[in-house]
């Protein structure tokens, strides 16, 4: 479990480095984005036959999943902040 959180933090941080810009949220949001991004990559990879049951997701695929999730997160948060202003 601790390893998952560490990898999630690293993957989330790399995703934020690849997509510079202002992001709401701190270390917890970064970690969640990394973990969920990795899960997205795993499920898409399994659906496409890239990963077998129980096989770990690749690091690059995890970063790609986190970048996609970060883009969606920014789109939703950006839209909500424009509505409230």
């Amino acid at each position: 479990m601790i390893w998952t959180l560490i990898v999630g933090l690293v993957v989330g941080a790399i995703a934020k480095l690849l997509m510079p810009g202002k992001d709401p949220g701190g270390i917890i949001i970064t970690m969640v984005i990394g973990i969920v991004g990795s899960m997205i990559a795993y499920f898409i990879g399994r659906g496409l036959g890239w990963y077998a049951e129980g096989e770990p997701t690749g690091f690059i695929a995890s970063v790609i999943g986190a970048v996609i999730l970060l883009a969606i997160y920014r789109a939703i948060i950006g839209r909500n902040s424009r509505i409230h202003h």
Side-chain angles (χ1 to χ4, degrees), residues 3-77:
W3 183 248
T4 301
L5 296 176
I6 292 169
V7 171
L9 179 61
V10 171
V11 167
I14 290 172
K16 281 190 171 186
L17 285 174
L18 292 174
M19 291 185 66
K22 187 171 172 86
D23 287 314
I27 192 168
I28 301 298
I29 296 297
T30 300
M31 198 177 299
V32 169
I33 286 172
I35 292 168
V36 174
S38 183
M39 291 171 54
I40 289 169
Y42 174 75
F43 288 117
I44 290 172
R46 274 194 55 205
L48 296 173
W50 295 344
Y51 305 113
E53 181 74 33
E55 186 177 348
T57 308
F59 186 77
I60 293 172
S62 294
V63 171
I64 292 169
V67 166
I68 292 168
L69 182 63
L70 182 57
I72 293 168
Y73 176 73
R74 283 183 180 178
I76 291 170
I77 295 300

